[in-house]
Amino acid sequence: MQETKLKIAVQKSGRLSEDSTGLLKRCGVKFNNGLGKLKSEAENFPVEIYFLRDDDIPEYVADGVADVGIVGENVLAETDKKVDSIEKLGYGKCRLSLAVPKNFAYQSVRDFGGKRVATTYPKILSEFFNKNKVNADIHTISGSVEIAPSIGLADAVCDLVSSGSTLFTNGLREVETVMESEAVLIARKNLPADLQTILEKLFFRIKSVKAAKQNKYILLNAPDEKLTEILRLLPGIKSPTVMPLATRGWSSVHSVIDESDFWEIVEQLKIAGAEGVLVLSIDQMIQ
Ligand code: ATP
Ligand code: MG
């Protein structure tokens, strides 16, 4: 009998490709994603990876051609396909924003009333305008949205932004955020039990990789008389590890800290008397 495999759809080539295949690899899934490949079987885990256009992923997952997929929340919100959104993945972060030409005297969202707005996200945008009681004229185009105002196709645009440099080079100014987005793991509804088991195993690994990314391993030397104060700054998973150094009166302290508080904690540790601070990345963190 053929082994049951979970089919995972990821973007073939684009902004999410590298991070998505990288995530699977950090989960210990070994596969070959050579150029031009449409699908690849993992050597050591019961999954098969499909490389697709990102817009097609929700449909493939909803139809059961793939069991799970990784897409931007923006793509998911734009489709009417019914899939389960399982977990935000922490990469592919961007926002869908409204932008106007620099000379547009923008004051509030009401200024879009009666204006032509070009976008590839008509569903999300019309929901946003309805919510704000704005009656605008949405022009759906399939790409290069940012040039629409300069060629006279639209008065404003609604497009994905991360740094804002594309808008800036096209003489546009970001004025409203319509939605924030990042990559998410989605799954088809009513996944059979054998596939659900594989998904849970993969999901456990994804969570460990995500937790590891948010945390850093920190090692430092502390004079014993400052230990209490230093330990107060380092909560650790259970509690920090403290070991005596060969030099009397000094200890080595090991702990795990959240990346978001990282710089603040390091500064306070130095003030408290910590020396030789080393900070390491963590590959996986099993919780
Ligand atoms: P495909 O060929 O697969 O259809 P695409 O051109 O539609 O690719 P990309 O530009 O590769 O898509 O973007 C894929 C996803 O990456 C977007 O849907 C979005 O979720 C995310 N993303 C992150 N930052 C940005 C950004 N600055 N601009 C556009 N998308 C971004
Ligand atoms: Mg696309």
Side-chain angles (χ1 to χ4, degrees):
M1 205 184 84
Q2 224 190 345
E3 191 193 5
T4 308
K5 292 199 166 158
L6 184 79
K7 299 189 203 103
I8 308 177
V10 298
Q11 192 186 21
K12 183 177 169 56
S13 98
R15 287 186 154 98
L16 301 181
S17 310
E18 232 180 81
D19 284 336
S20 301
T21 52
L23 173 65
L24 294 174
K25 289 189 171 166
R26 286 182 73 184
C27 288
V29 181
K30 284 196 184 137
F31 60 95
N32 172 349
N33 56 325
L35 224 73
K37 268 195 166 245
L38 287 178
K39 74 179 196 184
S40 182
E41 257 173 60
E43 295 162 25
N44 59 343
F45 199 78
V47 297
E48 216 171 5
I49 296 120
Y50 284 63
F51 303 100
L52 304 168
R53 289 280 311 271
D54 70 341
D55 320 63
D56 298 333
I57 292 177
E59 184 168 349
Y60 278 117
V61 172
D63 295 350
V65 175
D67 303 304
V68 299
I70 297 178
V71 276
E73 290 174 294
N74 52 306
V75 171
L76 195 59
E78 186 60 29
T79 168
D80 48 14
K81 302 290 173 220
K82 298 277 175 287
V83 295
D84 289 329
S85 177
I86 297 191
E87 175 88 350
K88 294 190 191 226
L89 298 173
Y91 60 85
K93 288 193 178 168
C94 58
R95 52 195 185 274
L96 186 64
S97 288
L98 279 159
V100 296
K102 285 202 187 87
N103 57 8
F104 189 121
Y106 184 81
Q107 280 179 324
S108 83
V109 70
R110 280 191 294 278
D111 295 343
F112 288 105
K115 294 285 191 290
R116 295 167 304 161
V117 186
T119 190
T120 38
Y121 294 91
K123 179 167 177 268
I124 303 174
L125 184 58
S126 66
E127 283 163 8
F128 176 82
F129 280 149
N130 287 344
K131 199 176 77 201
N132 286 284
K133 301 190 173 54
V134 171
N135 194 0
D137 183 6
I138 298 175
H139 277 243
T140 308
I141 54 177
S142 62
S144 304
V145 171
E146 67 283 357
I147 63 164
S150 60
I151 58 173
L153 191 72
D155 304 304
V157 302
C158 177
D159 203 4
L160 291 175
V161 188
S162 44
S163 70
S165 60
T166 310
L167 291 180
F168 185 80
T169 37
N170 284 282
L172 297 168
R173 184 164 61 95
E174 190 177 349
V175 290
E176 297 286 341
T177 303
V178 175
M179 95 172 268
E180 306 263 359
S181 177
E182 66 183 84
V184 278
L185 179 71
I186 57 170
R188 70 177 161 105
K189 297 216 167 271
N190 309 316
L191 206 59
D194 49 351
L195 293 175
Q196 185 68 38
T197 308
I198 304 174
L199 174 58
E200 271 159 24
K201 214 166 150 186
L202 179 71
F203 186 44
F204 173 79
R205 295 189 185 189
I206 288 177
K207 280 195 294 192
S208 305
V209 171
K210 261 186 74 181
K213 257 198 201 160
Q214 283 157 13
N215 289 278
K216 298 270 182 209
Y217 193 81
I218 184 163
L219 302 98
L220 56 89
N221 296 330
D224 287 344
E225 71 271 16
K226 299 284 177 61
L227 260 181
T228 320
E229 198 182 342
I230 287 174
L231 295 182
R232 206 174 33 80
L233 297 167
L234 294 171
I237 299 176
K238 245 198 183 71
S239 72
T241 307
V242 181
M243 287 176 287
L245 285 188
T247 309
R248 282 188 67 161
W250 282 80
S251 295
S252 165
V253 179
H254 297 204
S255 191
V256 171
I257 56 175
D258 192 311
E259 195 179 37
S260 54
D261 321 321
F262 169 73
W263 285 112
E264 207 154 302
I265 291 185
V266 170
E267 277 161 21
Q268 292 176 23
L269 286 170
K270 293 214 67 153
I271 295 170
E275 289 183 15
V277 180
L278 295 181
V279 178
L280 311 175
S281 311
I282 303 171
D283 282 337
Q284 273 86 17
M285 204 163 127
I286 315 298
Q287 282 168 320

